[in-house]
């Protein structure tokens, strides 16, 4: 089932209109979950960090024991060609994907002789700046590299995120603030997370249990260039309870204000607004 509209699919070397079938029933990725993807955005005629997202999916493929078959520059050009069919005001989610085709003699290990590749473009509007979210805790945690492919943006990781969201919604919240294996805050069910206290910005230090995102890194670079103090450190749930502002960082929305964590209420504060403003300014400067 598609999330967006006006879908285009790149598969077998050409662009197709619509949600084109791309996977066979016996493909390794179909029944053993060896699929990886990445997500970039087109909005206001901009595709910020598109090259970084295309480079990351190749790293994800390698982490999933797949052979990435399209180099970064070629992938960027394929995406740009596909985007030409959209209007100047279109907001598009850009999703390149790899998956395993054949398995080894055990069936479990994907062979590197053939790798599936596709790109899906879907029109999905950017959320408005004031569109916030609410957080609660969840009993589900982020895995570690010893028991999951945490160093890849892999589809097999996302059922865990989905059950976090289902639990949060059952409690009347939209999203979940998630712990790592040691009980410290890692991220949310859908995105990386920042908090602000006394004018300084804090985010959980990347410890291998979550994907430290491209947009997260861009925000930190922008904030530091603007003179803000940004800490990557170990953070507890108590830290977030005592925060002045909380916001999420991800490719889909770029910046999402948090208006509540459990019973704690937050305003969309000046740092959150500034981070969004800086991101849009930086993206426009890269046109």
């Amino acid at each position: 089932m598609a999330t967006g509209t006006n879908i285009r699919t790149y598969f077998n070397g050409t662009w197709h209109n619509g949600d084109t079938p791309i996977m066979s029933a016996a493909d390794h990725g179909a029944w053993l979950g060896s699929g990886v993807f990445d997500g970039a955005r087109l909005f206001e005629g901009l595709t910020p960090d598109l090259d970084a997202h295309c480079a990351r999916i190749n790293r994800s493929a390698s982490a999933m024991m797949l052979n990435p078959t399209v180099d970064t520059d070629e992938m960027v050009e394929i995406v740009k060609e596909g985007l030409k069919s959209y209007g100047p005001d279109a907001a598009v989610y850009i999703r390149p994907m790899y998956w395993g085709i054949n398995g080894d003699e055990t069936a479990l290990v994907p062979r590197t002789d053939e790798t599936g590749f596709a790109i899906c473009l879907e029109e999905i509007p950017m959320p408005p700046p004031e569109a916030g979210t609410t957080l609660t805790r969840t009993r589900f945690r982020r895995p570690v590299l010893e028991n999951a492919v945490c160093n890849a943006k892999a589809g097999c990781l996302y059922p865990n995120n989905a059950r976090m969201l289902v639990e949060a919604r059952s409690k009347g919240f939209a999203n979940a603030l998630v712990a790592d294996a040691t009980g410290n805050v890692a991220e949310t069910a859908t995105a990386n997370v920042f908090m602000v206290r006394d004018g300084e910005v804090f985010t959980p230090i990347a410890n291998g249990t979550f994907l430290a995102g491209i947009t997260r890194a861009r925000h930190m670079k922008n904030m530091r260039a603007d003179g803000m103090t940004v800490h990557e450190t170990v953070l507890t749930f108590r830290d977030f309870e005592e925060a002045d502002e909380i916001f999420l960082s991800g490719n889909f929305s770029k910046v999402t204000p948090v208006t509540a964590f459990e019973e704690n209420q937050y305003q969309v504060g000046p740092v959150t607004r500034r981070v969004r403003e800086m991101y849009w300014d930086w993206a426009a400067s890269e046109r």
Side-chain angles (χ1 to χ4, degrees):
M1 178 181 176
T3 300
T5 59
N6 196 11
I7 297 171
R8 303 199 74 213
T9 307
Y10 180 85
F11 183 56
N12 282 343
T14 190
W15 280 103
H16 309 266
N17 292 323
D19 190 8
T20 304
I22 59 173
M23 191 177 288
S24 300
D27 282 2
H28 191 278
W31 70 290
L32 288 173
S34 58
V36 296
F37 71 98
D38 217 287
R41 271 295 211 170
L42 166 73
F43 61 91
E44 300 175 17
L46 308 170
T47 53
D49 278 325
L50 175 59
D51 56 342
H53 287 283
C54 292
R56 185 172 66 180
I57 192 177
N58 282 348
R59 296 194 300 272
S60 290
S62 296
M64 187 59 86
M65 300 163 287
L66 303 173
N67 177 30
T69 55
V70 183
D71 68 32
T72 298
D73 292 341
E74 181 183 0
M75 199 182 306
V76 168
E77 292 307 311
I78 293 170
V79 169
K80 288 181 177 179
E81 182 65 28
L83 291 174
K84 289 179 181 178
S85 296
Y86 293 90
D89 298 324
V92 179
Y93 185 72
I94 303 161
R95 184 172 59 249
M97 298 171 282
Y98 285 112
W99 64 95
I101 301 291
N102 304 308
D104 72 351
E105 63 275 8
T106 70
L108 297 180
V109 181
R111 282 170 33 191
T112 58
D113 58 344
E114 189 177 5
T115 306
F117 176 75
I119 302 172
C120 181
L121 305 178
E122 300 185 60
E123 273 201 67
I124 303 177
M126 294 294 290
E130 66 277 8
T133 192
T134 57
L135 300 177
T136 185
R137 299 191 192 202
T138 173
R139 69 185 186 277
F140 303 113
R141 296 192 178 193
R142 293 294 303 166
V144 295
L145 187 60
E146 287 77 7
N147 58 31
V149 193
C150 300
N151 55 338
K153 194 170 178 69
C156 60
L157 298 173
Y158 281 77
N160 192 40
N161 299 50
R163 60 183 185 168
M164 296 169 188
L165 288 174
V166 169
E167 182 184 16
R169 291 168 183 170
S170 73
K171 296 163 64 177
F173 294 85
N175 207 329
L177 193 61
V178 181
D180 61 19
T182 61
N184 296 308
V185 173
E187 59 173 354
T188 71
T190 62
N192 297 143
V193 65
F194 289 85
M195 54 162 277
V196 182
R197 187 168 59 216
D198 297 329
E200 299 188 358
V201 182
F202 300 79
T203 192
I205 190 166
N207 60 6
T209 67
F210 64 93
L211 204 62
I214 292 166
T215 308
R216 171 184 180 270
R218 181 61 61 191
H219 288 324
M220 289 193 292
K221 186 173 182 178
N222 288 345
M223 285 188 283
R224 286 168 174 156
D226 198 50
M228 296 185 187
T229 300
V230 182
H231 305 272
E232 291 182 88
T233 188
V234 174
L235 295 170
T236 66
F237 288 97
R238 174 66 64 86
D239 289 319
F240 282 84
E241 291 170 351
E242 297 175 351
D244 302 318
E245 301 177 43
I246 302 174
F247 63 91
L248 310 188
S249 159
N251 167 68
F252 193 85
S253 303
K254 305 306 180 185
V255 179
T256 302
V258 172
T259 57
F261 170 44
E262 302 287 7
E263 69 276 6
N264 303 286
Q265 304 294 311
Y266 307 92
Q267 299 295 317
V268 181
V271 174
T272 302
R273 296 182 190 278
R274 178 62 180 150
V275 169
R276 179 184 174 85
E277 176 186 347
M278 286 191 294
Y279 186 88
W280 256 254
D281 287 348
W282 165 79
S285 74
E286 297 292 303
R287 190 187 299 271

